[in-house]
């Protein structure tokens, strides 16, 4: 981000979501022939020869349009082009720089491969990315993405669950775009398109998650369900089939069967009237890949497990109870199908095994943060690494091989890495789906940050450059990128099929972007 005065940009128009196009000026220098090349010429009307001085004097009496001008006026010398480059915009560093009264942040599109802003009817606290049939590891533009999100409307009855289709997501247009991309110039002028299909939902949606689908697997046919679960502020967890909504966005004229989509496929009432935020799906895999497991945690410190069978959903009545305060987030182990992790406002991270008797945690970190632990993320590649984000703004990386078992008198383990860049509660955190050292985080300080644990400060390569700017705040070398411009960021996810693409939701809508850093 760079700082510019309001007066510098007030003439600009358009949303921050779309790349601004700057006209490319072309300067042409006029060629002047030398005197020795001009020679003399004969007047066709008078048998007289004009000298070079007379020609110059005659031309000096006219302006560029050939109009007579006062020859006594002073002729200004030509303006020579300067070789000096304009000053580079100053990078804005949160916590170091302060915006003046007449300054606003302006994004630097040279560091984005793609950047779009999408405004929706109601703010969304939570969303998830839906799998599509457009291919994995896709790099071409324009891009398309599918999301499912739950609203936070003004009154409970106005809420809805929406499936969004974001299409015509163009590459960010820069002034130095090369000529070899001329074939894409027409596409660059197209605006992104946001389409949606919605179903009513009673109560605000605290959290929404889509069932996991195996990597590289196609989207289920429309005859089969594609489930998403929503945590309602009413204390109910609803399971919905959104597959027909996707079909309606892709196939013109497709008619949605409201009996299938507008009524929950199942409702979990195990939590009573206690609302919650924690939720995570897992697939059992093996011989029955359609078998699903859904964990839900509430503000009364209880975690319930719901499984699927050939006959439908089966909520287990006995809760998991080791936390002493609100359960804030849940994550299934990517390696062991019976193990999951949880974090809580009691400042702890707990590890559970559904086979353990008594529904108690089997290991944990009792004092993971000095504040509420809001979010966790389990590394799918290096399955012993767990991220946690706290209410104090801290991010910590844990090696679960060092976590103490219940009943042990050993002290809590020390995190393998910790970062205190954010200045407000961490609201979301997620490992990159394929790069095991990279993760994204969002905070209530209006920042989305991208990190790489594999990066280390090398004083020899940087010439001994200090990572502490003038404001005195150290910039961690692992901090790759800071994305700003949204207000009250709530959740961030990597797109699993578009490498490096990040989607975030905030009070003012969605951002989808891809940086040069990842």
């Amino acid at each position: 981000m760079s700082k510019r005065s309001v007066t510098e940009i007030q003439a600009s128009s358009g949303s921050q979501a779309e790349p601004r196009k700057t006209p490319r000026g072309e300067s042409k220098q006029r060629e002047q022939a030398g005197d020795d090349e001009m020679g003399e010429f004969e007047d066709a009307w008078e048998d007289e020869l004009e000298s070079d001085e007379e020609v110059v004097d005659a031309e000096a009496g006219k302006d560029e349009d050939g109009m007579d001008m006062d020859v006594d006026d002073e002729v200004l010398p030509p303006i020579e082009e300067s070789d000096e480059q304009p000053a580079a915009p100053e990078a804005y560093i949160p916590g170091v720089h302060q915006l003046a009264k007449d300054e606003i942040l302006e994004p630097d599109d040279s560091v984005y491969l793609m950047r779009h802003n999408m405004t929706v009817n109601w703010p969304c606290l939570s969303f998830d990315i839906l799998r599509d049939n457009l291919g994995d590891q896709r790099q071409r533009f324009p891009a398309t993405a599918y999301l499912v999100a739950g609203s936070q409307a003004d009154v409970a009855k106005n809420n809805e669950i929406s499936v969004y289709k974001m299409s015509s997501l163009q590459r960010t247009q820069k002034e130095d775009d090369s000529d070899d991309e001329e074939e894409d110039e027409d596409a660059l002028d197209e605006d992104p398109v946001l389409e949606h299909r919605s179903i009513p939902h009673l109560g605000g949606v605290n959290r929404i998650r889509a069932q996991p689908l195996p990597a590289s697997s196609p989207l289920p046919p429309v005859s089969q369900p594609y489930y998403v679960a929503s945590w309602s502020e009413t204390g109910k967890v609803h399971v919905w089939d959104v597959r027909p909504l996707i079909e309606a966005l892709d196939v013109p004229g497709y008619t949605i069967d409201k009996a299938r989509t507008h009524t929950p496929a199942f409702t979990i009432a195990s939590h009573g009237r206690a609302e919650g935020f924690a939720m995570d799906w897992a697939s059992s895999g093996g011989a029955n890949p359609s078998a699903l497991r859904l964990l839900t945690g509430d503000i009364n410190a209880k975690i319930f497990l719901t499984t699927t069978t050939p006959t439908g959903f089966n909520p287990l009545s006995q809760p998991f109870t080791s936390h002493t305060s609100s359960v804030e987030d849940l994550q299934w182990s990517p390696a062991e199908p019976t193990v999951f992790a949880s974090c809580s406002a009691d400042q702890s991270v707990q590890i559970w095994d559904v086979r353990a008797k008594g529904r108690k945690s089997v290991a944990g970190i009792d004092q993971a943060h000095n504040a509420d632990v809001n979010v966790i993320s389990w590394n799918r590649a290096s399955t012993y690494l767990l991220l946690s984000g706290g209410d104090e703004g801290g991010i910590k990386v844990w090696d679960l091989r060092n976590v103490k078992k219940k009943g042990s008198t050993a002290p809590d383990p020390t995190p393998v890495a910790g970062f205190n860049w954010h200045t407000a509660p961490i609201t979301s955190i997620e490992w990159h789906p394929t790069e095991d050292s990279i993760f994204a985080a969002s905070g209530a300080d209006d920042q989305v940050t991208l990190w790489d644990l594999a990066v280390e400060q090398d004083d020899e390569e940087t010439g001994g450059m200090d990572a502490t700017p003038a404001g005195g705040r150290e910039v961690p070398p692992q901090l790759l990128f800071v994305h700003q411009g949204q207000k009250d960021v709530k959740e961030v996810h990597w797109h699993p099929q578009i490498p490096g693409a990040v989607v975030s939701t905030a009070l003012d809508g969605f951002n989808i972007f891809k940086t040069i850093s990842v």
Side-chain angles (χ1 to χ4, degrees), residues 140-312:
R140 294 180 62 87
F141 290 95
T144 299
Y146 296 79
L147 313 178
V148 61
S151 68
Q152 289 284 318
D154 52 350
V155 293
K157 65 181 181 64
N158 289 341
N159 283 288
E160 57 190 14
I161 289 177
S162 300
V163 172
Y164 293 101
K165 180 181 180 180
M166 298 177 173
S167 56
S168 294
L169 301 174
Q170 308 292 347
R171 180 192 299 273
T172 300
Q173 190 174 9
K174 307 178 183 66
E175 289 202 21
D176 59 350
D177 283 341
S178 57
D179 295 336
D180 58 0
E181 295 180 359
E182 291 181 357
E183 64 273 10
D184 294 334
E185 286 186 356
D186 292 338
L188 288 171
D189 291 332
E190 295 180 6
D191 292 330
V193 177
L194 181 64
E195 304 168 85
H196 75 280
R197 296 291 185 273
S198 301
I199 55 179
H201 185 279
L202 181 62
V205 179
N206 294 343
R207 189 67 55 88
I208 193 165
R209 291 290 181 263
Q211 74 170 84
L213 294 176
S216 302
S217 68
L219 187 68
V222 70
S223 60
Q224 296 181 13
Y226 188 7
Y227 292 123
V228 301
S230 63
W231 235 128
S232 173
E233 63 182 359
T234 62
K236 299 291 190 294
V237 177
H238 303 294
V239 179
W240 310 83
D241 180 5
V242 300
R243 183 61 183 86
L245 303 181
I246 301 174
E247 193 74 6
L249 290 170
D250 290 340
V251 180
Y254 178 83
T255 302
I256 296 175
D257 181 5
K258 291 186 178 180
R260 177 181 172 185
T261 59
H262 287 50
T263 302
F266 188 76
T267 295
I268 301 170
S270 306
H271 299 275
R273 295 185 177 181
E275 66 174 321
F277 297 87
M279 181 163 54
D280 195 34
W281 286 96
S283 174
S284 296
N288 186 15
S290 62
L292 298 170
R293 295 164 289 140
L294 177 64
L295 286 168
T296 53
D298 61 34
I299 60 173
N300 288 342
K302 294 180 180 180
I303 301 171
F304 285 91
L305 172 63
T306 301
T307 62
T308 60
T309 66
T311 59

Side-chain angles (χ1 to χ4, degrees), residues 96-97 468-473:
V96 174
H97 299 121
T468 304
R473 188 182 184 194

Side-chain angles (χ1 to χ4, degrees), residues 230-414:
S230 63
W231 235 128
S232 173
E233 63 182 359
T234 62
K236 299 291 190 294
V237 177
H238 303 294
V239 179
W240 310 83
D241 180 5
V242 300
R243 183 61 183 86
L245 303 181
I246 301 174
E247 193 74 6
L249 290 170
D250 290 340
V251 180
Y254 178 83
T255 302
I256 296 175
D257 181 5
K258 291 186 178 180
R260 177 181 172 185
T261 59
H262 287 50
T263 302
F266 188 76
T267 295
I268 301 170
S270 306
H271 299 275
R273 295 185 177 181
E275 66 174 321
F277 297 87
M279 181 163 54
D280 195 34
W281 286 96
S283 174
S284 296
N288 186 15
S290 62
L292 298 170
R293 295 164 289 140
L294 177 64
L295 286 168
T296 53
D298 61 34
I299 60 173
N300 288 342
K302 294 180 180 180
I303 301 171
F304 285 91
L305 172 63
T306 301
T307 62
T308 60
T309 66
T311 59
F313 290 86
N314 178 34
L316 304 184
S317 59
Q318 185 179 3
F320 298 88
T321 56
S322 284
H323 285 297
T324 59
S325 187
S326 173
V327 180
E328 298 296 300
D329 201 6
L330 290 160
Q331 283 271 288
W332 283 102
S333 166
E336 301 178 70
T338 63
V339 176
F340 68 90
S342 64
C343 66
S344 168
D346 62 13
Q347 305 182 1
S348 75
V349 172
Q350 302 293 337
I351 307 298
W352 312 72
D353 192 323
V354 298
R355 300 167 298 182
K357 296 180 180 180
R359 293 288 197 260
K360 297 292 184 179
S361 61
V362 297
I365 309 167
D366 294 332
Q367 195 71 28
H369 289 255
N370 293 323
D372 298 359
V373 187
N374 298 329
V375 287
I376 53 175
S377 180
W378 208 316
N379 195 308
R380 296 188 175 277
S382 300
T383 57
Y384 55 87
L385 292 179
L386 185 81
L387 281 168
S388 66
D391 225 29
E392 85 286 8
I395 296 172
K396 296 183 180 181
V397 187
W398 303 95
D399 187 335
L400 296 180
R401 296 172 296 186
N402 300 327
V403 174
K404 65 178 182 179
K405 296 182 179 180
K406 283 301 175 180
S408 172
T409 58
D412 280 334
T414 302

Side-chain angles (χ1 to χ4, degrees), residues 76-127:
L76 298 176
I79 299 176
E80 297 182 0
E81 294 186 356
S82 173
D83 292 334
E84 295 183 2
Q85 298 294 328
E90 181 182 2
Y92 176 84
I93 302 177
V96 174
H97 299 121
Q98 297 293 330
L99 291 178
K101 183 178 180 180
D102 61 342
E103 288 183 321
I104 63 172
L105 289 177
E106 182 179 78
D108 180 3
D109 279 334
S110 67
V111 297
Y112 288 95
L113 298 179
M114 175 182 71
R115 183 181 60 83
H116 294 286
N117 180 27
M118 302 288 188
T119 303
V120 294
N121 292 332
W122 298 107
C124 299
L125 284 180
S126 181
F127 75 99

